[in-house]
Amino acid sequence: MRVAIACQGGGSHTAFTAGVLRRLLREDRDDIEIVALSGTSGGAVCAYLAWHGLSGPEGRPAKAVDLLDRFWAANAASAPWDAALNGWLVAMNRLEGAVVLPSVSPYLYPAWAQERFRSALETLVPPGSTPEGGPLLLVGAVDVRSGEFKAFSSARGEISADAVLASAAIPNLFRAVHVGPAAYWDGLFSQNPPVRELPDAAPDTIWVIRINPSARAEEPTTMPAILDRRNELSGNLSLAQELAFIEKVNEFVRKGWLKGSKYREIAVETITLDRDLDTASKLDRRPQFIADLIAYGEAKAEAFLIACFSRTGR
């Protein structure tokens, strides 16, 4: 079974994605081949590290898992000063909607957080060490000036730390990232995550790791709850469009309209972070919070694999 994995973005919530990938990568079976990965924002980070670990002559699942573990350990707010800063940022974001807070452009203060992010990536994947071969990788971003959606592709030699930084450049926190002549913002505004190019890798199935829940049991009535739900819906809009494209292709294949083309029917499965977490917690880097999400991702992936193999008889 040829598998493509699409990783939705969501800041610290994508520690769940790291947990899912840890479990999926441990599934050492001859009948499963990961042929493509895609991601946006935090999902792009996870997809990028997993792809790098799987690619090249030394590529193997254990290396991918090690890179994911090391990144999330480095990203956690473990030092006392970092823990204090993390607590302040999360608290300020939770006040949004309850009180009027001043807005400050990220161009008015040093880009130290963005450079720390770059340093963490380049420590794990040194510049110039992009491997050849391996799965297809797609990283989503949007061109700030033209509004063009961009999926950086390993097939076109476009993958770098800059591409990942561009995908994670949340505009109210980070400056736009320049790649060539273009300036890019977070891919949450475009493809979250990129899906429509995944059929180029000829997968049998696409496994989507979804961070933003599609449904909520309760109607949001407070401003923080309304803003949280608005964020979830906007984050899911592009994913719904991407999956609708796959379903339309599937429909055309079933009707026999694409005979002789590269397209074939592709199953889509979803692994969802279905905890009730607010938007502010996407900035939360407490070590225990991250560890809990990783463990939860592993448990959800375990249940997914059991259900998946039961249905297919594998």
Side-chain angles (χ1 to χ4, degrees):
M1 177 167 59
R2 294 169 62 85
V3 177
I5 302 176
C7 306
Q8 193 177 43
S12 290
H13 290 183
T14 50
F16 170 83
T17 302
V20 171
L21 290 173
R22 288 183 94 254
R23 179 62 191 89
L24 297 181
L25 290 167
R26 289 205 312 272
E27 191 63 25
D28 186 15
R29 299 169 60 105
D30 293 336
D31 59 350
I32 293 179
E33 180 186 4
I34 297 175
V35 296
L37 292 150
S38 74
T40 291
S41 196
V45 175
C46 292
Y48 172 65
L49 295 174
W51 168 78
H52 198 278
L54 291 171
S55 301
E58 298 181 1
R60 60 192 189 281
K63 181 180 177 182
V65 170
D66 179 62
L67 288 173
L68 288 165
D69 288 348
R70 289 166 60 193
F71 173 81
W72 285 101
N75 187 59
S78 301
W81 68 268
D82 202 8
L85 177 60
N86 177 71
W88 180 81
L89 283 172
V90 173
M92 288 299 99
N93 272 267
R94 287 200 170 116
L95 286 175
E96 184 181 4
V99 298
V100 177
L101 296 173
S103 297
V104 180
S105 167
Y107 292 85
L108 297 179
Y109 50 81
W112 65 269
Q114 214 159 8
E115 290 308 310
R116 179 186 174 188
F117 189 4
R118 178 191 298 278
S119 177
L121 286 177
E122 293 185 344
T123 296
L124 297 172
V125 181
S129 64
T130 301
E132 294 184 0
L136 171 69
L137 175 64
L138 302 170
V139 171
V142 63
D143 187 320
V144 177
R145 293 190 289 264
S146 72
E148 178 185 357
F149 295 175
K150 174 67 176 179
F152 294 97
S153 172
S154 61
R156 295 187 288 269
E158 298 171 329
I159 301 301
S160 64
D162 281 338
V164 179
L165 285 167
S167 182
I170 303 171
N172 60 326
L173 295 178
F174 298 134
R175 302 176 185 184
V177 175
H178 292 254
V179 181
Y184 292 99
W185 270 351
D186 196 311
L188 295 172
F189 296 99
S190 57
Q191 296 166 292
N192 186 24
V195 172
R196 66 182 61 200
E197 288 186 58
L198 290 177
D200 291 347
D204 300 308
T205 183
I206 297 173
W207 292 348
V208 180
I209 306 175
R210 181 190 284 270
I211 297 301
N212 294 314
S214 58
R216 286 288 187 186
E218 302 293 333
E219 176 185 355
T221 57
T222 66
M223 278 309 300
I226 290 169
L227 292 172
D228 285 345
R229 187 58 179 150
R230 184 183 70 178
N231 179 277
E232 290 171 351
L233 293 174
S234 62
N236 282 334
L237 178 62
S238 60
L239 176 58
Q241 293 171 335
E242 295 283 290
L243 295 180
F245 172 81
I246 299 297
E247 179 49 39
K248 183 58 67 175
V249 171
N250 285 344
E251 179 186 340
F252 291 165
V253 170
R254 288 192 294 268
K255 291 180 177 179
W257 295 352
L258 296 177
K259 286 182 179 178
S261 74
K262 66 178 180 179
Y263 293 105
R264 56 179 175 166
E265 191 166 359
I266 302 173
V268 177
E269 305 271 3
T270 303
I271 308 171
T272 303
L273 171 60
D274 50 13
R275 285 185 174 176
D276 189 9
L277 300 172
D278 65 359
T279 301
S281 64
K282 290 182 176 181
L283 298 176
D284 193 349
R285 295 182 295 109
R286 285 176 296 130
Q288 190 58 54
F289 181 68
I290 288 173
D292 287 347
L293 283 175
I294 290 174
Y296 183 52
E298 290 188 274
K300 289 281 287 190
E302 176 75 19
F304 169 80
L305 288 171
I306 291 171
C308 183
F309 294 146
S310 295
R311 285 195 304 274
T312 60
R314 294 177 185 268

